[in-house]
């Protein structure tokens, strides 16, 4: 910045005003174009990472139909693309209205969640509606508005998608951040839907 400040000050003192203004306009346009191209490149790189992760997950599913291995592959690819420090997969048994949690991580550490009866929680809402639920911020207010009863610590940012195969809902995938809001976006929701689709097929 100091170098450019000296250069521009010198140009201002030694260049006709019209020429100087033209140079400034040109630099402004050039910097705007560079910024736009940089954003486009970042989006392209993110898309490449997403497609690569989906490809890796597809290969893992094709190579093994063992449930623990498939679910672990789902977690590993999810954490490559979004904040998955708090992550879980819930499977729903319609016969006895039970939720089981074959895979869960808290603060990136494998943990165990107890099975529970189907109730009015966030996960159950996603399963019952068969629709993704993105709560980037104001989670408490949104939970109260939806009439959902959340157990455990209230997240600051939450995202859940259903695992659906055909007309059968198999469960849900959830990620959350307990400390920071705005950790998940519509782009994260869409990629998690694609991951859930591959998990459902497996």
């Amino acid at each position: 910045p100091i170098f450019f400040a000296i250069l521009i000050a010198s140009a201002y003192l030694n260049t006709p005003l019209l020429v100087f203004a033209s140079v400034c306009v040109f630099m402004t346009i050039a910097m705007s174009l560079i910024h736009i191209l940089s954003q486009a490149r970042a989006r392209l790189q993110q898309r490449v990472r997403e497609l690569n992760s989906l490809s890796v997950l597809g290969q893992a599913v094709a190579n093994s139909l063992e449930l623990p291995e498939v679910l672990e592959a789902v977690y590993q690819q999810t954490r490559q693309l979004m904040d998955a420090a708090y992550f879980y997969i819930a499977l729903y048994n319609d016969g006895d209205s039970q939720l089981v949690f074959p895979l869960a991580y808290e603060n990136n550490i494998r943990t165990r969640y107890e099975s529970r009866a189907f109730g009015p929680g966030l996960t159950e809402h996603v399963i019952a509606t068969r629709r993704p639920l993105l709560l980037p911020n104001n989670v408490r207010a949104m939970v109260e508005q939806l009439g959902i009863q959340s157990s455990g610590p209230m997240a600051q940012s939450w995202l859940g998608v259903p695992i659906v195969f055909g007309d059968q809902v198999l469960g849900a995938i959830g990620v959350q951040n307990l400390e920071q809001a705005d950790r998940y976006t519509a782009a994260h929701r869409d990629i998690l839907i694609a991951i859930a689709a591959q998990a459902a097929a497996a």
Side-chain angles (χ1 to χ4, degrees), residues 94-107:
D94 192 24
D96 57 10
S97 295
Q98 288 282 317
L99 278 184
V100 296
F101 298 87
L103 186 70
Y105 280 83
E106 288 189 352
N107 202 21

Side-chain angles (χ1 to χ4, degrees), residues 105-120:
Y105 280 83
E106 288 189 352
N107 202 21
N108 295 312
I109 298 174
R110 182 79 178 261
T111 187
R112 185 173 181 270
Y113 289 170
E114 296 293 334
S115 302
R116 70 177 188 231
F118 197 83

Side-chain angles (χ1 to χ4, degrees), residues 89-93 99-100 123 126-128 130 161-165 168-173 196:
I89 296 176
L91 297 180
Y92 174 56
N93 187 344
L99 278 184
V100 296
T123 304
V126 169
I127 293 173
R130 300 188 176 205
V161 302
I163 303 173
V164 179
F165 185 73
Q168 184 179 7
V169 59
L170 306 176
I173 301 175

Side-chain angles (χ1 to χ4, degrees), residues 46 49-50 53-54 74-88 108 133-134 157-161 173-177 182-196:
Q46 176 64 21
R49 284 195 297 269
E50 292 172 359
S53 290
L54 289 174
V74 169
Y75 165 69
Q76 292 298 335
Q77 297 312 310
T78 300
R79 70 192 294 261
Q80 299 294 324
L81 299 171
M82 66 189 74
D83 176 6
Y86 289 82
F87 171 97
Y88 66 87
N108 295 312
L133 181 61
L134 171 61
S157 189
W158 194 90
L159 169 63
V161 302
I173 301 175
V175 291
Q176 58 185 335
N177 190 293
D182 300 312
R183 294 294 293 172
Y184 306 111
T185 66
H188 292 130
R189 177 198 60 203
D190 293 344
I191 191 64
L192 196 58
I193 290 172
I195 289 173

